[in-house]
Each structure stands twice: as C-alpha cells, then as structure tokens.
C-alpha cells in the first residue's frame, strides 16, 4: 500500500472529528464561514449522493480540520503537499472511498459501529440530518446515556429519557445524566479543544497521537457518534476503536493477505487479548493489621501500577498504539490486535516472560492470566445470540479463568525450587512486619525507628503511598532519571521507571527535565490542565489518570491514621500508646461493593441490532468513570468521610473501603444512590455490597473475606421477585443444643434498607429519650429471636418461626412495658404497634414484601441503634 501505517492510524483517529467541528459551526456547509471554498468543492468527491442530495457532510469539516493544521501534519509525518492531500482524503473519504487505503478506513469505521447491520434507511436518516435545510437538527440532539440502552428483560423497549451534558470531563454533579434539555455549548467546547490541540508536541508521531487520544477523551466523551443509531456511543470511543481496527486491518493485510484485498466474512483478522491479575485479595489484605494503614494505599496502587506497566510492555512488544487498549482497570485489561502469526506467538512468549517476572518478585501470590480470542465480521456483524461480539468477551473470560486454575504450569520444570523447595530458614532471621516473610540482612529497612523491619520492597510501597498523597504527576520512563533521586518504582523488573512528583518537585528540576525527559509518559491526576504541566520534552506523551482514593485520613501529626484512629480512638501522643478517650463503640467497617449481573450485561444486555464494538467500550469506560472518578468526589465532599474512611481501591466495577463503621455505612448508601443516578435508575444496573463490622485489630485478610461473604449474601437476596440490588451488614448466630446457625441479613436498597434505617432512628429516639424504653429492651428482642428459631423456607422465600410461644411472650413483655407510659406517649404507641407486627409477622400493613419476619427486622434495627448508642 502506498500510504504508511502511521497515516492509516492518524486518518482513522481523526476520520469523524468533523462531527465535533460541524457542531461548532453556526451554519450548514453551503453558508459556512469556517469551510474554505476549496474544501466545499470537495463535496462531490467526499460525500455520497442519494436522490440528487449530498449527505454525510461532516466529512467536509474533517477535511477542513486537517487543512487548518496542515503544517502540523506535514512536519510530523514529513509530508510534501501531494502526500498531505492524500492524508486529508484518507481521513475524510470513508463514506465514498476511491482507493484501497480509504476502503480500509471505511471498513474500520463499520467494524467499530456495527454499520453493516444498521438498516439502510436508518443510516440515511442519520446522514440526511446534515443536509443544508436541516443543518442544525443534529446539534439539538444531545448524547444519550449508554445505561438506558441496556436491557436484561427480552422484549423490553429501549427508551432514552436522560441527556448527557456537553462538557469536558469533570466529576461533579453537573456531569451527570439529566432529564432536562441540556445546553449544547459546542462552540465553546470546540474552541477549548483547539487551544489544547495546539499545545501537542509534533516532533514525534507516537507522542502526538498518544497525547491526542487523551485530548479526544477529555472533550469528546459527551458528543454522540451518531444521533440516529449510535446516540449513546461517544465520538471518542468511536474514533478510538476505529483507529484500533484500522491499524490491525492494515497489519493483517500486510502480513497475512500480502495484497490489496480485504479479509473475507469468514476470516478472523483480529484478536482480543485479555489479561487478568489474580491473587489481588491475598496480596492486598494479607498483611499485619497493626501496620496495615501505613501499607495499604501503596500496596493497592502498586497493582494499578503493575497492570499499567504490563499493558505498556505488551503494546511496545506488539508495536501497537494506545488506542488498541480497549479497557484497563481493576486488575484486568483488553487489547485489540491483528490476528497474525507473529502476534499470537509473541503473546505466548509474553505470557511466559511476564509470569516469570511476577513469580520471581511475588512467588505464587500474584499471577497474570493472558490469552486471546480471534474474531472477525461473523462476530462483529452477527445478529445471532450465540455468535456475536459480546460472546468474544465471554469466551475470553472463560479462557482466562481456566488459565488461573493452571497457573505457572509452564514454569514448573524450569523453576522447580520456586514451587517445591522450602526457602525459609525458620526462627533465625527477622521477619517482615507486614507480610511475615523472612528478611535477608542486606534487604531490610527499619520501620519508624523501632524494632520492626520490612523488606526494601515493602518499604518502597510505604513511600509510594506517601508520595501518592501529594503527587500531581506520574512519569513513566524507559530509562532512569537520576536527577529525580532514587525514588522510582519498577514493578517486577519491567523496563519502566515510575516517578510520582508534585508540581514543586518538578519545578525544581524543570531545566533538567526539559533537557532530557524525552520519550516519557507524563500523566496528571487531574485532567483539567494536564497539558499545562511543567514537564517539557520533545517526544513526550501527555495524558491523565484517574485513581480512586489518592488521599487518606491523617491524624493531628499529619501522618496516616491507624485503623484504631479510623475507628474513632484518639491518642494523647504521637507514639499512639495512650488513649485520650474511649469512643462509643470502637468498630471498623470493611466495605465491598460491585455491579450486579455484569457478565449477563455483556452477553445479552445489548440487543442484537445495537451491538457494536464502540458501544461495549463506551459502557466499560462509563462504569470505570464512576468508580475511579466519582467515588473519590463523594469521599472528598464529606468531612466525616475524609476523616474516618479510607478508599483502598475503587475502579472498574467494584470498590473496597475501610472506615469507622457507622460513617462508612452512610457512605455506602451515598455511593449506591449516586450510582443509581449515574446509571439513570436503569433496572439493568444495580449495586450490591457487604460490610463487615469488626474490631480494628481484627486480621485484615479475614475481615476482607467476611465482607466478601456478606457481599455474596447480598447478591443472593431476593425482594419482591427482584434479585440482588442489596446490602448486607449484620448477621445473627442462633444457638440450639450446642449447634449454631448463622443468618446473614441482606436488605434491598430501595425498600428494605430505608425501612430498617428509619426504624433504627425511631428506636434510637425511644432508647435515649428522657421517658425511654426499658434498658433491657434490646436484650429482650434478642432473646425472643432465639426463642422463635427462624428457619428459611426456600419454596416460599420467607423466614418462618419454628416455635410459636414467642408471640405470646412478646405480647406480655411489650404490653407490660407499655403500661408504664401514658396511652398517647410515643413509646406506648410504638410498643403496641409492634405487638401487632410480631403477631402477624408483617410490617407496613403487609405492604413491604420482605422475606423477613417482623421480629427479625426489629432485631436488626435494635442492634444498629444499640451500636450507635453504645458506650
């Protein structure tokens, strides 16, 4: 092919930039003052015609954008005038290709959007909105929420009620979907885009396109790719996946077909590479509780760092671009690559190489599963349930799970001693204060000047956590930058040096950074002004990263709070030895939450006619934005959350947070409510969670396991024929004749949880009032629970008492207590109401269709109230 691989990639990445530019214009093509005459004259060359009317006129603005920055592109790609004209046509002619290279861009565009499945009339209807007599119709149609385009119930019609505001990325309430008509504001947004585009460095193609991808993410995630058949897919995701398909198609044709011929419908020119890091829970939580607060933040972020560096390594080895990374978060990633022999062989070698590096550093604690799944048009354009693009993710996930069960099998012979030969001396060496591993004398650091020691590796993780607190920038270099000191992080000896610096530290090294910091990635933790950073070089990629929970609570001495302090304990001195005062209840909450039914959503949630690669990408990114981005804003917006909770991890579709139990409980409900708003209250997107309430010195790994158990119980909960969408945070153990049975209480977020919450508050008022319930009321309720001996009846999905005498005893006890109050006293009314509730087993006149008996609900609320009042 005459055009180069770089030209194909760039043309695909910008092929629909005209849709953004066109929306900023104040007139149609014929009257536009932004389109040059020469560009308007290309209408017959670039725009298809139907009924003597030209359509798809956004390509004229694409051509104009490239023409506006002709000097940039000529310099970067070393193009003469004729070659630049070819690049312009390559980007703008995808609706009317006249060369094989232009046909590649068109095909990639179709692969991204699923265009071959779109009804021809619908496609033309979308295009005709750009006609001169309707030139501004599409501008008034904002992007719709991807979450409303997902349905789990077959036959349910898809309707869009929420609009997305036309804004650059900002994690505030103004960025949320809204039922209101949104002001477009395309002109101002386009102006800001151009201002930042002009700051991109053009001395390196890879650096330019890498930075451009972040620029598109910042400004084009709330612009619809199409107002007709892709109203809920962002222009950013469409441009990104089109570029990825184009470069993969180019490589496949060059290496496998070896002539100017597109692959056939039965061919599989692409592979989706999947990576999954397992052992995360054991790695993060398997540390000594007394030092957990010092190490958790760095330990958690290290996994993010490790995955990011692994992805960089795979891209470098496969010679792919950043746009080929379809998704990377939560310890997993997906990369789109060409299905060539060289690629598949390299993937296998990379799996062995990276696995060995991880084994050498982490023994068998962490493991990377890496695999790929081939696909082509049969999957991209299929309307059948058993053979579509959603199944590619499913098959790949199944393969990765299988590899987890056979971890490191290729290394068993080569590194036999790593798996079967004991390596600890036993009792003769100091052990690591975090993970209990034996320490070599030349590989240990003293912790806080005491008698505790840690490995140099764990010491580095502590420093990483500290640096994250103040760091504004993350610099990734493939060579050491010694003038930044020795504080770099290099996961599993991969060839990348990671530095975390604040603006002041960078300013102090500005001269040296400007002189030598080339070919590095510079990520800002704030996307607002990520290009205006002090790290300047000739070939650097500038971007941004979201990380849920950079900050953490600090005590009076501005050091990270211990878990005891998070639970509410205050100390008199910095050594944290003497308590200042005892709080009401020293308990810590361990919270886990994740999205329900995500596997089913990817398999069947998107209807046959709406399945497209770009739509799946928009969905994944939108979920990640909430957990990586907005959860941190929830934390920052409440002083109690900032002072008494610590986000250990938030990203992908789940989170783990530690904090003072009652404050964390409120935060969990806040997160749920904001998640529902983020997902437009769609029935397909719910969130379940579990929170263990334990003493702050409870072993962290066991605490995380209990929280996981509670989360699983919430996911098995049913309420009014609806499964999941629940929260579990209390359990009761009943003892009968030496045996015990545990009942975990899960509550539907929408109905049961608010009821229990309000009942708890009512009980608190009655227990703490001047004319209060008897002091032994809570104990009485517990005793009645034991007496009733509730058993779950699966056929009825309810808990039923096996002993009935508790009803009469309840009536006697409650009426006796009520006799001490006047008939119109609130406590008297409360007790008499609950005599009736417990007798019938129902509350709210039976309008709350819960599986729990009324006495069980009262017992949970009583325990909650007692915990909050306990001294």
């Amino acid at each position: 092919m005459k055009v180069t691989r770089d030209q194909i990639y760039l043309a695909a990445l910008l092929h629909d930039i005209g849709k953004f530019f066109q929306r900023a214009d104040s007139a149609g093509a014929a009257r536009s003052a932004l389109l040059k005459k020469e560009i308007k004259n290309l209408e017959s060359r670039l725009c298809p015609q139907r009924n003597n009317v030209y359509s798809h006129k956004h390509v004229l603005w694409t051509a104009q954008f490239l023409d506006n920055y002709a000097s940039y592109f000529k310099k970067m790609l070393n193009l003469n005038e004729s070659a630049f004209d070819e690049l312009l046509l390559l980007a703008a002619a995808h609706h009317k290709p006249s060369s094989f290279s232009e046909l590649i861009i068109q095909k990639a565009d179709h692969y991204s959007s699923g265009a071959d499945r779109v009804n021809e009339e619908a496609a033309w209807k979308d295009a005709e909105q750009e006609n001169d007599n309707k030139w501004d119709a599409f501008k008034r149609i904002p992007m719709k929420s991807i979450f409303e385009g997902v349905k789990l119930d077959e036959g349910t019609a898809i309707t869009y009620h929420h609009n997305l505001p036309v804004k650059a990325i900002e994690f505030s309430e103004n960025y949320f979907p809204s039922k209101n008509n949104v002001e477009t504001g395309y002109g101002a947004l386009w102006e800001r885009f151009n201002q930042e585009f002009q700051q991109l460095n053009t001395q390196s193609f890879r650096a330019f396109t890498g930075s451009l991808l972040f620029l598109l993410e910042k400004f084009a995630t709330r612009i619809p790719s199409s107002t007709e058949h892709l109203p809920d897919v962002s222009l950013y995701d469409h441009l990104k996946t089109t570029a990825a398909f184009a470069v993969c198609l180019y490589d496949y044709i060059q290496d496998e077909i070896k002539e100017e011929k597109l692959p056939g419908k039965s061919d599989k020119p692409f592979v989706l590479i999947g990576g999954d890091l397992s052992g995360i829970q054991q790695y993060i939580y398997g540390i000594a509780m007394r030092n957990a607060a010092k190490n958790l933040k760095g330990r958690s972020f290290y996994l993010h760092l490790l995955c990011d560096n692994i992805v960089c390594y795979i891209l470098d080895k496969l010679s792919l671009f950043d746009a080929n990374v379809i998704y990377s978060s939560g310890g997993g990633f997906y990369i789109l690559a060409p299905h060539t022999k060289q690629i598949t062989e390299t993937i296998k070698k990379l799996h062995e190489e990276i696995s060995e590096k991880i084994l050498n550093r982490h023994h068998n604690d962490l493991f990377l599963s890496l695999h790929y799944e081939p696909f082509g048009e049969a999957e991209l354009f299929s309307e059948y349930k058993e053979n579509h693009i959603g199944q590619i993710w499913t098959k790949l996930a199944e393969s990765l799970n299988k590899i987890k069960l056979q971890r490191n099998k290729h290394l068993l012979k080569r590194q036999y001693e790593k798996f079967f030969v004991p390596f600890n001396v036993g009792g003769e060496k100091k052990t690591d204060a975090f993970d209990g591993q034996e320490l070599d004398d030349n590989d240990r650091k003293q912790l806080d000047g005491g008698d505790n020691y840690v490995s140099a590796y764990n010491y580095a993780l502590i420093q990483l956590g500290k640096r994250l607190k103040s760091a504004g920038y993350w610099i990734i270099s493939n060579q050491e930058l010694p003038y930044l000191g020795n504080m770099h992080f290099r996961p599993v000896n991969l060839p990348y040096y990671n530095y975390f610096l604040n603006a002041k530290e960078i300013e102090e090294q500005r001269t040296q950074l400007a002189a030598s910091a080339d070919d590095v990635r510079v990520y800002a933790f704030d996307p607002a002004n990520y290009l205006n950073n002090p790290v300047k070089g000739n070939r650097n990629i500038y971007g941004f990263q979201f990380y849920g929970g950079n900050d953490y609570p600090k005590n009076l001495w501005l050091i990270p709070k211990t878990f005891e302090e998070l639970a509410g304990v205050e100390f008199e001195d910095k050594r944290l030895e003497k308590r200042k005062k005892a709080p009401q209840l020293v308990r810590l909450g361990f919270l886990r939450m994740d999205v329900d039914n995500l596997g089913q959503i990817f398999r069947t949630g998107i209807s046959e006619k709406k399945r497209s690669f770009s739509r799946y990408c928009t969905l994944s990114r939108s979920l990640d934005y909430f957990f990586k981005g907005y959860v941190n804003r929830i934390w920052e917006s409440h002083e109690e959350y900032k002072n008494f909770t610590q986000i250990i991890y938030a990203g992908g579709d789940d989170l783990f947070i530690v904090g003072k139990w009652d404050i964390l409980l409120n935060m969990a409900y806040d997160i749920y409510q904001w998640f529902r708003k983020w997902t437009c209250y769609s029935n397909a997107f719910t969130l379940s969670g579990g929170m263990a309430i334990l003493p702050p010195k409870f072993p962290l790994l066991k605490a995380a396991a209990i929280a996981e158990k509670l989360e699983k119980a919430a996911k098995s909960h049913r309420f009014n024929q609806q499964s999941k969408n629940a929260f579990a945070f209390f359990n009761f153990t009943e003892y009968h004749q030496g045996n015990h049975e545990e009942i975990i209480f899960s509550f539907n977020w929408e109905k049961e949880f608010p009821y229990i919450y309000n009942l708890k508050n009512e009980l608190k008022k009655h227990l703490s009032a001047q004319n209060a319930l008897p002091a032994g009321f809570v104990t009485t309720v517990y005793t009645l629970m034991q007496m009733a001996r509730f058993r779950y009846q699966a056929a009825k999905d309810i808990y039923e008492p096996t002993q009935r005498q508790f009803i009469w005893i309840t009536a006697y006890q409650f009426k006796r207590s009520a006799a001490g109050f006047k008939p119109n006293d609130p406590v008297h009314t409360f007790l008499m109401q609950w005599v009736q509730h417990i007798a019938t087993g129902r509350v709210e006149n039976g309008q709350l269709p819960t599986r729990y008996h009324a006495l069980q609900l009262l017992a949970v609320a009583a325990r909650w109230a007692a915990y909050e009042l306990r001294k």
Side-chain angles (χ1 to χ4, degrees):
M1 282 178 278
K2 191 164 85 169
V3 301
T4 66
R5 185 175 188 259
D6 286 351
Q7 289 170 344
I8 285 284
Y9 178 73
L10 179 61
L13 190 59
L14 293 174
H15 79 286
D16 268 350
I17 193 66
K19 290 186 175 182
F20 189 178
F21 193 179
Q22 183 189 27
R23 283 170 165 80
D25 205 331
S26 60
R31 297 183 178 86
S32 172
L34 301 180
L35 295 178
K36 292 181 180 179
K37 181 180 178 180
E38 295 82 359
I39 298 297
K40 292 180 181 180
N41 289 339
L42 290 174
E43 187 174 65
S44 60
R45 166 66 175 86
L46 301 176
C47 301
Q49 193 177 33
R50 186 188 193 195
N51 298 328
N52 296 319
V53 176
Y54 289 111
S55 64
H56 300 83
K57 293 189 179 183
H58 62 270
V59 297
L60 298 175
W61 280 268
T62 293
Q64 186 62 65
F65 177 77
L66 269 76
D67 185 75
N68 288 350
Y69 294 104
S71 60
Y72 282 61
F73 300 118
K74 289 176 184 177
K75 177 182 177 182
M76 182 176 54
L77 292 168
N78 193 25
L79 302 176
N80 58 29
E81 194 66 37
S82 175
F84 170 74
D85 290 343
E86 291 178 357
L87 175 67
L88 184 148
L89 293 175
L90 187 61
H94 53 281
H95 288 296
K96 194 177 180 181
S98 60
S99 71
F100 184 69
S101 300
E102 293 169 7
L103 194 60
I104 288 178
I105 306 296
Q106 182 189 59
K107 205 67 175 175
D109 177 46
H110 289 178
Y111 288 155
S112 170
S113 62
D116 277 18
R117 289 195 324 278
V118 176
N119 179 276
E120 184 180 358
E121 289 301 317
W124 276 98
K125 182 180 178 182
D126 186 44
E128 286 171 354
Q129 290 183 355
E130 302 178 34
N131 292 345
D132 286 334
N133 62 337
K134 300 179 180 179
W135 68 269
D136 63 343
F138 58 91
K139 292 176 62 173
R140 297 192 296 270
I141 304 175
M143 185 175 166
K144 307 301 180 181
S145 170
I146 186 70
F147 301 112
E148 291 186 302
V150 176
K151 297 291 180 183
L152 294 181
D153 299 326
E154 290 188 14
T156 305
I158 292 176
T159 55
Y160 294 100
H161 302 289
H162 289 78
N163 300 318
L164 300 183
V166 180
K167 286 180 173 290
I169 291 175
E170 60 169 65
F171 292 122
S172 69
E173 192 171 352
N174 294 330
Y175 196 65
F176 272 61
S178 171
K179 285 188 176 181
N180 300 325
N181 292 325
V182 299
E183 295 182 10
T184 53
Y186 285 113
L189 195 67
W190 178 251
E191 184 178 350
R192 289 177 58 196
F193 173 81
N194 277 270
Q195 289 171 353
E196 296 196 19
F197 181 87
Q198 293 168 30
Q199 298 178 49
L200 300 184
N201 194 304
T202 57
Q203 296 190 34
S204 161
F205 178 80
R206 196 169 190 85
F208 172 81
T209 52
S211 301
L212 174 59
L213 190 63
F214 282 103
L215 191 65
L216 291 169
E217 180 177 3
K218 179 178 178 179
F219 287 103
T221 51
R222 290 299 174 88
I223 299 172
S225 175
S226 161
T227 54
E228 186 63 32
H229 73 279
L230 295 172
D232 55 356
V233 175
S234 80
L235 180 61
Y236 161 72
D237 289 295
H238 177 61
L239 293 174
K240 176 184 174 181
T241 51
T242 299
F245 274 118
V247 76
C248 290
L249 197 54
Y250 180 94
D251 288 349
Y252 181 82
I253 293 168
Q254 293 284 87
D255 295 351
E256 300 296 319
I257 298 179
K258 301 182 186 302
E259 59 177 307
E260 289 193 348
K261 178 183 175 184
L262 290 172
K265 291 187 177 180
S266 60
D267 292 333
K268 297 186 184 297
F270 311 110
V271 292
L272 186 65
I273 303 169
D276 184 70
L277 197 63
S278 55
I280 289 177
Q281 179 170 315
Q282 177 73 32
Y283 174 78
I284 295 181
Y285 312 131
I287 58 178
M289 195 69 168
R290 65 184 179 276
N291 292 309
K294 298 174 184 175
N295 190 253
L296 267 177
K297 179 53 60 180
R299 209 170 183 86
S300 173
F301 186 81
Y302 170 80
L303 296 173
H304 180 81
L305 183 64
L306 174 61
C307 278
D308 188 274
N309 283 193
I310 288 172
V311 169
C312 284
Y313 193 57
I314 293 173
L315 291 181
D316 287 346
K317 289 297 182 181
L318 300 183
S319 298
L320 296 174
F321 295 94
D322 287 355
N324 291 89
V325 182
I326 302 305
Y327 175 81
S328 179
S329 188
F333 57 84
Y334 294 96
I335 298 172
L336 182 65
H339 188 197
T340 66
K341 183 178 180 181
Q342 181 182 359
I343 289 288
T344 53
E345 289 177 351
T346 303
I347 293 170
K348 293 175 183 177
K349 292 177 181 177
L350 283 172
H351 188 208
E352 294 185 7
E353 179 188 353
I354 297 171
S355 296
E356 188 166 5
K357 288 179 181 292
I358 293 174
L359 180 67
N360 291 338
R361 171 64 269 177
H362 298 289
H363 302 292
N364 214 31
D365 294 339
L366 291 175
F367 173 69
L368 177 72
S369 300
L370 191 68
H371 197 61
Y372 62 88
E373 190 70 34
F375 68 97
E377 285 193 15
E379 291 78 16
L380 288 165
F381 296 150
S382 174
E383 295 185 12
Y384 301 101
K385 293 182 180 180
E386 300 302 322
N387 187 33
H388 62 79
I389 192 61
Q391 294 291 351
I392 298 301
W393 266 277
T394 302
K395 291 178 183 177
L396 187 52
E398 291 171 352
S399 298
L400 293 173
N401 285 330
K402 183 178 179 180
I403 292 172
K404 286 181 190 179
L405 301 176
Q406 303 172 341
R407 61 166 58 188
N408 291 318
K409 68 175 184 179
H410 58 285
L411 297 175
L412 288 176
K413 289 184 178 180
R414 196 160 71 238
Q415 295 204 33
Y416 177 87
E417 67 284 353
K418 287 277 186 183
F419 299 94
F420 303 109
V421 176
F423 54 83
N424 281 349
V425 176
E428 298 180 10
K429 290 191 173 184
K430 288 187 177 294
T431 57
D432 193 295
F434 284 131
D435 54 28
Q437 298 292 326
E438 291 184 351
L439 296 171
D440 292 330
D441 293 338
N442 60 350
D443 181 36
R444 70 183 190 187
K445 296 276 188 180
Q446 195 172 20
L447 187 63
D448 294 338
D451 195 36
N452 291 326
Y453 291 85
V454 295
S455 66
Y457 163 76
N458 273 331
Y459 186 80
L461 292 184
I462 297 173
Q463 302 309 309
L464 175 59
K466 291 179 179 179
R467 296 204 68 81
L468 281 173
K469 165 65 181 72
S470 60
Y473 300 96
W474 171 7
I475 300 174
I476 306 175
S477 173
N478 56 13
Q479 60 183 346
E480 191 172 356
L481 305 175
Y483 50 84
L484 293 180
N486 60 359
M487 191 46 65
H488 64 259
F489 305 90
R490 195 178 173 195
V492 300
N493 210 32
L494 287 167
Y496 305 103
Y497 297 82
N498 299 269
Y499 298 86
F500 297 89
L501 305 170
N502 58 43
K504 181 181 178 182
E505 291 169 326
I506 291 176
E507 184 63 34
E508 291 171 353
Q509 302 293 340
R510 176 187 288 272
T511 303
Q512 287 181 287
L513 280 167
S516 65
D518 292 338
D519 298 312
V520 304
R521 291 174 177 266
V522 185
Y523 295 142
F525 285 116
D526 181 3
N529 297 302
Y530 77 98
L531 286 172
N532 295 325
N533 70 70
V535 182
K536 300 299 180 183
N538 294 324
R539 297 180 300 275
N540 297 339
I541 293 177
Y542 297 99
F544 48 85
Q545 284 270 346
F546 302 120
Y547 179 63
N550 286 21
D551 206 348
Y552 45 77
K554 295 168 284 295
N555 59 25
L556 294 175
W557 300 277
L558 300 180
I559 60 177
K561 283 187 175 181
T562 65
F563 277 4
E564 274 193 288
E565 289 177 294
L566 279 181
V569 176
E570 294 185 21
F571 295 88
E572 286 187 342
D573 58 47
K574 192 174 181 179
R575 291 172 296 173
L576 308 181
E577 293 175 352
K578 187 178 179 181
R579 290 188 178 188
K580 183 178 179 182
K581 65 177 182 179
Q584 292 176 324
L585 180 68
V586 182
R587 288 291 183 273
L588 205 61
F590 300 83
L591 173 68
R592 300 182 66 146
M593 301 176 80
D594 73 1
V595 178
D596 297 322
N597 304 312
L598 202 56
Q600 184 183 354
I601 286 169
F602 269 79
R603 288 193 302 272
T604 63
I606 299 177
S607 65
E608 290 90 340
K609 292 184 178 181
K610 286 186 171 290
R611 290 180 190 134
S612 72
F613 208 84
S614 55
R615 184 169 268 115
Y616 281 103
C617 292
T618 298
L619 174 59
S620 300
R621 178 184 51 75
S622 298
L623 284 173
D624 195 41
Y625 273 12
F626 178 81
F627 288 95
K628 267 189 182 176
Y630 198 73
V631 167
N632 212 37
R633 297 296 179 268
I634 296 172
W635 183 85
E636 291 172 347
S637 64
H638 292 74
E639 284 301 315
E640 282 192 326
Y641 300 165
K642 289 177 68 175
N643 290 327
F644 292 103
T645 70
Q646 182 176 347
I647 299 173
I648 306 305
Y649 171 77
D653 71 314
D654 63 349
L655 57 81
F656 184 84
I657 306 175
V658 176
K660 191 170 183 294
W661 75 275
D662 52 341
I663 293 173
L664 187 56
L665 195 51
N666 291 332
M667 186 178 178
Y669 192 41
D670 261 1
I671 289 171
Y672 170 76
Q673 290 175 306
W674 282 111
F675 177 77
R676 293 290 289 152
K677 184 175 181 180
W678 181 261
T679 55
C680 304
Y681 305 97
S682 166
N683 291 332
F685 291 92
T686 56
L687 195 64
S688 291
M691 190 180 85
I693 303 175
L694 300 162
K697 292 185 178 181
F698 196 86
L700 181 59
L701 185 61
K702 290 184 178 180
I706 293 173
E708 183 179 29
K709 179 181 178 181
L710 291 167
E711 183 185 34
K712 288 180 178 178
K715 286 186 175 292
S716 66
H717 183 65
R718 289 183 63 81
F719 174 81
N720 198 24
Q721 307 304 314
Q722 180 189 16
S723 61
K724 305 181 181 180
N725 192 32
F727 185 62
F729 63 107
F730 274 134
N731 63 313
F732 282 85
T733 303
E734 297 186 2
Y735 296 90
H736 301 290
Q737 299 177 350
N739 298 320
H740 69 274
E741 180 176 336
E742 182 184 49
I743 299 178
I744 297 176
F745 286 90
S746 304
F747 299 106
N748 171 269
W749 277 119
E750 300 289 342
K751 298 293 184 180
E752 290 174 303
F753 185 85
Y755 177 81
I756 290 292
Y757 180 84
N758 292 330
L759 179 58
K760 176 265 300 183
N761 286 336
E762 186 178 6
L763 274 167
K764 276 182 67 179
K765 182 176 67 175
H766 294 324
L767 287 167
S768 59
Q770 185 175 2
N771 216 7
L773 279 168
F777 177 80
V778 174
T779 302
T780 298
V781 173
Y782 293 171
T783 302
L784 292 169
M785 275 274 290
Q786 293 287 329
M787 190 180 298
R789 297 180 63 179
F790 287 101
R791 293 293 179 270
Y792 178 65
Q793 305 297 327
K796 300 178 183 178
D797 190 29
I798 59 171
Y799 281 91
E800 288 187 341
T802 59
Q803 305 294 325
R804 295 284 177 177
Q805 66 268 31
F806 79 96
I807 297 175
W808 322 120
I809 295 174
T810 298
Y812 171 76
Q813 292 278 15
F814 282 22
K815 287 182 177 180
R816 182 181 178 185
S817 296
F821 300 89
K822 295 179 179 179
N824 62 347
D825 189 278
V827 175
H828 183 280
T829 303
F830 175 83
L831 289 168
M832 297 309 294
Q833 281 179 341
W834 276 93
V835 169
Q836 182 179 357
H837 290 334
I838 292 172
T840 62
R842 303 289 93 187
V843 295
E844 299 283 301
N845 295 320
Q847 297 303 305
L848 186 71
T850 177
R851 62 169 56 171
Y852 300 116
H853 189 278
L855 179 58
Q856 292 177 299
L857 298 176
L858 183 63
V860 172
R863 174 177 285 185
W864 191 353
Y867 269 29
E868 290 191 359
L869 293 172
R870 184 174 167 184
K871 296 184 179 180

